[in-house]
């Protein structure tokens, strides 16, 4: 029984090696632009503020709180680019050695981000069992942002920095308790990562016949499963008004690990500011994620994210839904109202209540009509069920309200 298993693993590894190198040949690695936060004065991102992921600009497993020291200060209305680093491939159950892990999957050393190698080779503390997995970049202080304001984050671009990612399933963290089926052992450590019993599937991205990049899962038969990419940042948000440590896994009223796959390039996210300067941060980049994110992670890999960040003042600027006490999203087609709770049923109720409130305040209709409309014409999507706090969001179609006169933004 062991020989066929060993053979299948060897075949899978060889396909990973071929795919990783073939895809990298056509891919421009997005290396760090500068070694510290700054205003870029030349190149493609000229006049963008810029934040790299260095040991001085990241936290591992926790979000910024009100006491976090900003890594950069920017004027409201600025465009800013973050070079983020995915935690996948860097964690303890993957050996906490980015170079060793990725080269074992066939990635050339020059196609591994130096920041990833620096992080895993550093003495930066990270407890696999206690801390969150995410590498968070920031925070950034936005001039003029004060509690009571709304931070408007226009997502201009999310670009994969490398031609590969990882999809992981870990014990007790996915939707199905019987997965992964590998046994875990007490002696698990970065030096013995197999003992964790977790499953991480290395997944290259490759161009298809039309020149479009796709995720590629190689199966034991050698045939591939191919699926389109839809890059977005799983974590964006503002610092909550607390001095307590803020774990990176559960999302909340300040945003964080909200994992809504509709918040891609072209979308806008709104966050109620909790502390002076807002202290905006991002991380946990996804190349693509299905609604639910059932195994635990999506196809996760390092990305470059560019935003325009503005401040909306209550009483001066038009705020969607007039006021916000939690995140709101929008794109060209939809308003997006999240509901967050440890219980999925309650998350559904919260999303519905927020959708009703939003429709009443934005369009001046009654609660009864709003509730009826949502039941007849609005889809509620499960963002994720694996982040302790689960998420459901309403997708309210803007075109249905074309007869309503709205104030210009």
């Amino acid at each position: 029984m062991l020989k066929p298993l060993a053979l299948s693993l060897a075949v899978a590894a060889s396909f990973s090696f071929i795919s990783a190198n073939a895809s990298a040949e056509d891919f421009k690695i997005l290396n760090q632009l500068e070694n510290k936060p700054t205003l870029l004065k030349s190149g493609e991102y000229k006049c963008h503020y810029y934040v790299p992921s260095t040991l001085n600009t990241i936290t591992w497993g926790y979000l910024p709180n009100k006491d976090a020291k900003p890594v950069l200060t920017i004027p409201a209305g600025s465009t800013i680019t973050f070079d983020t680093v995915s935690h996948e491939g860097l964690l303890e159950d993957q050996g906490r050695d980015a170079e060793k892990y990725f080269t074992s999957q066939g990635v050339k050393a020059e196609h591994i981000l130096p920041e990833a190698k620096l992080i895993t080779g550093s003495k930066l503390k990270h407890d696999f069992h206690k801390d969150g997995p995410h590498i968070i970049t920031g925070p950034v202080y936005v001039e003029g942002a004060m509690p009571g304001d709304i931070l408007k984050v226009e997502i201009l671009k999310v670009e994969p920095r490398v031609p590969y990612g990882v999809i992981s399933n870990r014990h007790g963290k996915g939707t199905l308790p019987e997965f992964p089926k590998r046994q875990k052992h007490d002696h698990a450590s970065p030096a013995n990562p197999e003992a964790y019993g977790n499953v991480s599937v290395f997944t290259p991205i490759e161009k298809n016949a039309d020149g479009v990049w796709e995720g590629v899962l190689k199966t034991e038969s050698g045939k591939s499963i191919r699926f389109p990419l839809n890059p977005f940042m799983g974590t964006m948000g503002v610092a909550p008004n607390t001095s307590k440590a803020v774990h990176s896994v559960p999302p909340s009223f300040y945003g964080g690990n909200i994992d809504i796959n509709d918040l891609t390039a072209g979308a806008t996210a709104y966050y109620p500011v909790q502390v002076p300067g807002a202290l905006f941060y991002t991380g946990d980049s996804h190349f693509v994620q299905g609604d639910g994110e059932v195994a635990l992670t999506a196809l996760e890999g390092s990305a470059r994210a560019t935003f325009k960040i503005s401040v909306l003042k209550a009483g001066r600027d038009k705020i969607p839904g007039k006021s916000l006490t939690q995140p709101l999203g929008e794109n060209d087609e939809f308003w997006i109202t999240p509901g967050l709770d440890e219980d999925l049923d309650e998350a559904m109720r919260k999303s519905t209540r927020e959708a009703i409130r939003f429709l009443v305040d934005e369009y001046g209709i009654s609660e009864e009509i709003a509730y009826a409309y949502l039941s007849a014409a609005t889809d509620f999507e499960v963002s994720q069920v694996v982040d302790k706090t689960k998420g459901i969001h309403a997708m309210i179609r803007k075109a249905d309200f074309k007869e309503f006169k709205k104030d210009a933004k």
Side-chain angles (χ1 to χ4, degrees):
M1 294 297 292
L2 292 176
K3 288 185 179 180
L5 175 60
L7 178 60
S8 68
L9 292 174
V11 170
S14 68
F15 275 115
S16 294
F17 184 88
I18 293 168
S19 299
N21 285 291
S23 61
E25 299 305 320
D26 290 333
F27 190 94
K28 179 184 176 183
I29 305 293
L30 298 184
N31 286 311
Q32 182 176 287
L33 298 172
E34 297 285 346
N35 61 10
K36 61 182 180 180
T38 187
L39 176 64
L40 298 173
K41 298 182 179 179
S42 62
E44 179 182 351
Y45 302 90
K46 182 180 179 181
C47 297
H48 290 202
Y49 286 90
Y50 173 70
V51 180
S53 289
T54 71
L55 296 181
N56 295 319
T57 64
I58 65 166
T59 52
W60 197 350
Y62 295 89
L63 305 179
N65 62 17
K66 72 172 186 178
D67 302 320
K69 182 179 179 181
V71 302
L72 185 67
T73 297
I74 64 172
S78 296
T79 299
I80 183 168
T81 296
F82 290 80
D83 269 339
T84 68
V85 176
S86 175
H87 55 280
E88 287 297 330
L90 281 64
L91 289 168
E92 289 79 359
D93 65 340
Q94 295 156 338
R96 191 172 162 157
D97 186 330
E99 184 165 14
K100 183 177 180 180
Y101 176 79
F102 286 120
T103 54
S104 75
Q105 304 300 322
V107 180
K108 294 180 180 178
E110 60 267 30
H111 295 152
I112 303 170
L113 294 177
E115 303 98 298
K117 292 187 278 189
L118 179 66
I119 291 168
T120 57
S122 74
K123 295 182 179 180
L124 186 63
K125 292 182 179 180
H126 184 258
D127 186 323
F128 181 77
H129 299 288
K130 176 184 175 184
D131 304 335
H134 310 102
I135 295 170
I136 304 300
T137 305
V140 170
Y141 187 101
V142 182
E143 292 177 347
M146 295 297 292
D149 297 339
I150 302 298
L151 198 71
K152 178 181 180 181
V153 180
E154 298 172 72
I155 304 158
L156 304 182
K157 192 182 293 187
V158 180
E159 307 168 86
R161 298 183 65 195
V162 291
Y164 53 84
V166 178
I167 308 168
S168 288
N169 173 221
R170 298 183 169 96
H171 289 277
K173 299 185 184 291
T175 303
L176 300 178
E178 66 267 31
F179 283 91
K181 294 184 175 180
R182 296 178 182 176
Q183 185 178 357
K184 57 181 177 180
H185 303 279
D186 293 337
H187 57 283
S189 71
N192 186 26
E194 295 82 5
Y196 286 97
N198 296 328
V199 174
S200 291
V201 181
F202 177 81
T203 307
I205 62 174
E206 299 175 359
K207 282 184 179 178
N208 62 18
D210 296 322
V212 177
W213 290 91
E214 297 177 317
V216 181
L217 281 171
K218 298 290 184 179
T219 68
E220 293 80 0
S221 69
K223 295 179 181 179
S224 298
I225 303 169
R226 293 180 169 272
F227 46 93
L229 304 186
N230 185 42
F232 72 100
M233 301 307 295
T235 295
M236 299 181 290
V238 296
N241 185 22
T242 181
S243 294
K244 295 180 180 179
V246 183
H247 201 276
S248 73
V249 170
S252 191
F253 60 88
Y254 45 77
N257 184 31
I258 208 162
D259 275 349
I260 294 179
N261 60 16
D262 298 286
L263 296 180
T264 56
T268 299
Y270 300 87
Y271 303 95
V273 175
Q274 311 294 313
V275 300
L279 299 182
F280 176 78
Y281 51 84
T282 190
D284 186 31
S285 43
H286 295 50
F287 290 175
V288 64
Q289 175 194 301
D291 291 337
E293 200 181 22
V294 294
L296 173 62
T297 84
L299 174 51
E300 312 209 355
S302 300
R304 175 173 291 170
T306 299
F307 311 101
K308 181 179 178 181
I309 299 182
S310 307
V311 176
L312 303 181
K313 293 283 187 181
R316 185 194 74 182
D317 300 311
K318 185 181 186 314
I319 296 170
K322 293 188 178 179
S323 64
L324 297 175
T325 58
Q326 65 166 56
L328 171 74
E330 72 164 314
N331 57 28
D332 288 342
E333 295 185 71
F334 299 99
W335 295 108
I336 304 167
T337 61
L340 302 169
D341 198 89
E342 291 186 8
D343 182 278
L344 195 61
D345 288 340
E346 189 59 29
M348 180 69 186
R349 295 184 188 101
K350 288 182 176 179
S351 179
T352 305
R353 291 188 183 109
E354 179 61 12
I356 291 171
R357 184 210 66 79
F358 175 83
L359 290 173
V360 169
D361 289 348
E362 180 70 7
Y363 296 110
I365 63 179
S366 69
E367 291 182 331
E368 291 80 6
I369 292 296
Y371 199 18
Y373 165 75
L374 293 171
S375 191
T378 296
D379 290 328
F380 286 77
E381 299 180 351
V382 177
S383 52
Q384 52 74 27
V385 294
V386 294
D387 292 332
K388 296 183 180 179
T389 297
K390 301 172 177 64
I392 290 180
H393 54 279
M395 301 292 289
I396 302 170
R397 196 165 40 243
K398 293 179 177 179
D400 297 349
F401 296 85
K402 56 181 176 290
E403 293 188 12
F404 289 76
K405 183 178 178 181
K406 297 184 290 182
D407 295 333
K409 291 183 181 180

